[in-house]
Amino acid sequence: MFHRILVEEWQRVLSIVSITLFFAVFVIHFIRVRRIPRETIAHMEKLPLENDDHE
Amino acid sequence: MSTAITGAGPGAKTRIEYDDTPVRQFMIASIFWGIIGMLVGVVIATQLGVWQANFATPWLTFGRLRPLHTNAVIFAFVGNMMFAGIYYSTQRLVKARTASKLLSRIHFWGWQLIIVAAAITLPLGLTRGKEYAELIWPINIAVALIWVVFAVNFFWTLARRNEPSLYVAIWFYIATIITVAMLYIVNHLSIPTSWTHSYPIFGGVQDALVQWWYGHNAVAFFLTTPILGIMYYFLPKAAERPVYSYRLSIVHFWSLVFIYIWAGPHHLLNTSLPVWLQSLGMIFSLMLWAPSWGGMLNGLLTLRGAWHKLRTDHVLKFFVAAVTFYGMATFEGPLMSIRSVNALSHYSDWTIAHVHGGALGWNGFMAAGMFYWLAPRLWRRPLHSPAAANMHFWLGTVGILIYMLSMYVSGITQGLMLSATREGGTVLAYPNFLDAVTSTKVLMHVRALGGLMYLVGFVMLAWNIWKTARGAEAVNGSIEVFVPEKEKGMGIVAGFLNAPVIYTTLLFVFAAGWAALPGAWSAMCIVGLIATAAMMSMNFEFSKKGWSSWYDRLLVNALPFTVLTVVAVFIGGLVQIIPTVMVNTAKSIEGVRQIPYTPLELAGRDIYIREGCYLCHSQQIRTLVGDVLRYGDYSKLGESIYDHPFQWGSKRIGPDLSREGGKYPNSWHFFHMRDPRQISPGSTMPTYPWLYTDKTDTAALPNKLSVQRKIGVPYGPMTDAEIQQDCDKQAAGIVADLKAAGAEVPPEREIVALISYLQKLGKSEKVAPADAPKTAAN
């Protein structure tokens, strides 16, 4: 296993776990946002543009 | 007119009046405290070039005013600005009036009282001795309580919302509220010794890590995430077009929230912090480039097709410059987190240039843009003078550039001079630390000029908004909304106990087990990994439900969304802090153990902390040639394990003091503290005449020693009388030595205690592995 070569102290494995976690989070969200329906995005991005009588 | 939402049934059309009073209050408070904070900044910048500007007065010295400047700018200026932006935008994004007027009032007045308490206590020298966490423990409790009031009001408003979706700005606000609470509580865990003093429960490397986990994320979650939320609301408003890519904003949020929390150790590079933690901090800092620049580009590209408006619209000018400064600061931050770059930049004015790019450029200009946009709407009257706003922009921009350029030149000069060697790297090229101080002194005047220009710009903003609001009627916005059908909430149980969460957790656990566990356990984890993947595939095949249905529900359910945000930020904290607490073993104290301070030395240390000496003097010799040649062998973990709080510092305006003990005679310190220039010509250090007249508070020592014992410092049992005798005996020795050198002072004076502390610095004992403590906390 690669951890026997790379990991001299058990704490060092945390760097590997962290990077794996980050890429998993990044990839999952990237895929997810690609699949959000166009109408949902259109609705969300217009939310700040709805004016009240101030504006 | 009042809210008509109560009682209106689903599908009904109703008019809501927003509560904009807290928005006006927080905005005015932000401008007021911003000017105070910046003024103090100009004063301390002047003190660095002109030592006489300390006025030989305790509450006006650099060491006491610098925490006032940082706390005022972070918590008073940006804090109040953030609350104004959140109260305004949240109501409009969720189409609901703020839930409780009473809670808004408690929040506003409570926060202002906290600021006033800080403005009184910090110049008095009442401090915890940790950067941006200086406020004493009763104020810490008040901050936590007021933060809870804010959180309740915010989440209560979300619960009453008439817009089912949660716009991405709201996500950033949720992350801010949750993470700041977590960071603040952990870094302020202390045991009081009196109503105004406490010792943090962490010491040495643990305290260093917890402090910079907090310090770095104070930047991340107090100065960045809420302001990004504000950017995602106000920038589209000002540009009158939607954000460039809402999809990108989602990736921006999750990746930023997930990564930021890990990067704290980059404040401790090349120190005695374990290398694996330094690497972790560096790697995650570099990864921050991706989300930070994603967000920056998303902000700038929102102006697509509207760039021409920049010529005339003062609000957009401020926003665009702010986002550009955000991009520059977030490019530079990861760069400075590379260990070799950090070797040059750390402890120098380069860091000061970096943080002011963020504070003045990003935070200050976002605040100015938002205030100029809000004022005409909150008082329903056009801005008094757009020309003055334009002038403010240029004055501020040039001021920032002058400030930053002078600090870059100063920082790089300091870094190069203090690390320069000759004769094959065996001798320092500039052995006198003061060479670096005198070479950069003129740049301190330039920096003060840049800061002054920025301050004048903000005074113009205050005048402009006062003229706009004067005589005008304060008005609340209102809007007609349709009350939506209430969907049944997802609930916290369903938020966790569902297929995607369970499968993801199993995958992470098995993957971690495969990498970390030995032999058969590792093989079992691979089997687990494959089995989970197969089950996941079958489950989705048969149930015909995708992950997206769960995710979509999550995005409209604030509670489980909040809990998952907590999980995202919690992982980074746990991974760093738990191993650090556990690594305090014989191996990691590196065979050296600090000798605990005597009672008099402890009293002297508290005087050192009170005067803010740690703001100019570090106590950490890095694993770098320049540091070792100048100060001696690099610092070991064991040398500061009993330091509550740690005093490694973050800036060297004066030399490192880790090994100061025994370096000079007592009389050297006596004359140096009275008039630094008598001993060190060219020094910019203040004089400390009150140390020669004020008496050391030895009466507080029994309580202090008792608390030190509780937090793990190995003091034996001593009665009050024994403590006093111990102090008297040590003070008498120092006084006799001083007298022999021609310096007379009574033994109970503070200077004697301070000298005893300075002479103890760097004193440690060799420890065989078997004798080493198992943990520093026990």
Side-chain angles (χ1 to χ4, degrees), chain B residues 108-119:
Chain B
F108 175 76
W109 289 109
W111 196 255
Q112 308 320 309
L113 275 176
I114 287 165
I115 296 167
V116 170

Side-chain angles (χ1 to χ4, degrees), chain B residues 181-321:
Chain B
M182 178 178 82
L183 296 163
Y184 197 86
I185 290 169
V186 174
N187 193 42
H188 286 79
L189 292 173
S190 309
I191 301 183
T193 66
S194 70
W195 282 104
T196 56
H197 184 264
S198 63
Y199 288 121
I201 62 166
F202 302 108
V205 65
Q206 295 169 7
D207 197 35
L209 189 82
V210 171
Q211 161 63 18
W212 287 113
W213 173 70
Y214 161 87
H216 170 73
N217 288 301
V219 174
F221 288 92
F222 205 90
L223 301 177
T224 305
T225 52
I227 316 303
L228 284 170
I230 284 169
M231 178 191 86
Y232 276 119
Y233 178 79
F234 286 96
L235 189 55
K237 274 281 193 208
E240 294 174 321
R241 58 200 60 224
V243 65
Y244 171 67
S245 167
Y246 192 78
R247 293 177 205 272
L248 180 57
S249 72
I250 295 173
V251 179
H252 178 204
F253 172 81
W254 282 111
S255 47
L256 195 81
V257 165
F258 192 79
I259 300 175
Y260 237 130
I261 202 88
W262 302 71
H266 69 210
H267 289 259
L268 300 166
L269 296 180
N270 302 301
T271 66
S272 41
L273 187 77
V275 172
W276 70 270
L277 266 171
Q278 295 187 32
S279 304
L280 199 68
M282 185 177 92
I283 292 165
F284 271 88
S285 304
L286 289 170
M287 291 198 297
L288 267 175
W289 262 327
S292 301
W293 271 53
M296 185 268 288
L297 291 171
N298 212 4
L300 286 183
L301 291 174
T302 298
L303 267 88
R304 65 203 181 285
W307 286 100
H308 61 280
K309 290 185 179 178
L310 273 180
R311 284 189 294 116
T312 51
D313 190 330
H314 50 275
V315 172
L316 279 178
K317 275 182 195 163
F318 277 105
F319 281 159
V320 167

Side-chain angles (χ1 to χ4, degrees), chain B residues 709-738:
Chain B
R709 272 186 216 104
K710 281 183 196 157
I711 53 182
V713 184
Y715 284 111
M718 289 175 93
T719 63
D720 293 5
E722 284 169 336
I723 291 170
Q724 189 61 49
Q725 280 169 13
D726 194 274
C727 286
D728 292 344
K729 190 178 166 193
Q730 191 176 7
I734 294 170
V735 167
D737 182 60
L738 286 173

Side-chain angles (χ1 to χ4, degrees), chain A residues 36-45, chain B residues 247:
Chain A
I36 298 176
R38 200 177 288 272
E39 311 81 64
T40 308
I41 293 291
H43 171 70
M44 295 303 285
E45 65 186 18
Chain B
R247 293 177 205 272

Side-chain angles (χ1 to χ4, degrees), chain B residues 656-696:
Chain B
D656 185 273
L657 300 180
S658 312
R659 303 270 159 72
E660 189 70 3
K663 194 170 176 182
Y664 304 111
N666 291 331
S667 57
W668 188 96
H669 293 291
F670 182 89
F671 293 118
H672 185 252
M673 300 295 291
R674 197 168 64 180
D675 180 9
R677 279 143 297 278
Q678 183 187 347
I679 305 286
S680 311
S683 169
T684 53
M685 186 166 141
T687 56
Y688 293 89
W690 57 93
L691 297 180
Y692 300 79
T693 52
D694 292 355
K695 290 182 180 175
T696 304

Side-chain angles (χ1 to χ4, degrees), chain B residues 471-507:
Chain B
E473 188 194 356
V475 285
N476 292 336
S478 65
I479 190 171
E480 279 197 339
V481 295
F482 286 98
V483 181
E485 294 286 342
K486 290 284 178 197
E487 276 190 43
K488 191 176 178 298
M490 190 178 198
I492 197 141
V493 176
F496 284 99
L497 293 182
N498 57 63
V501 168
I502 293 170
Y503 285 128
T504 309
T505 308
L506 285 174
L507 285 174

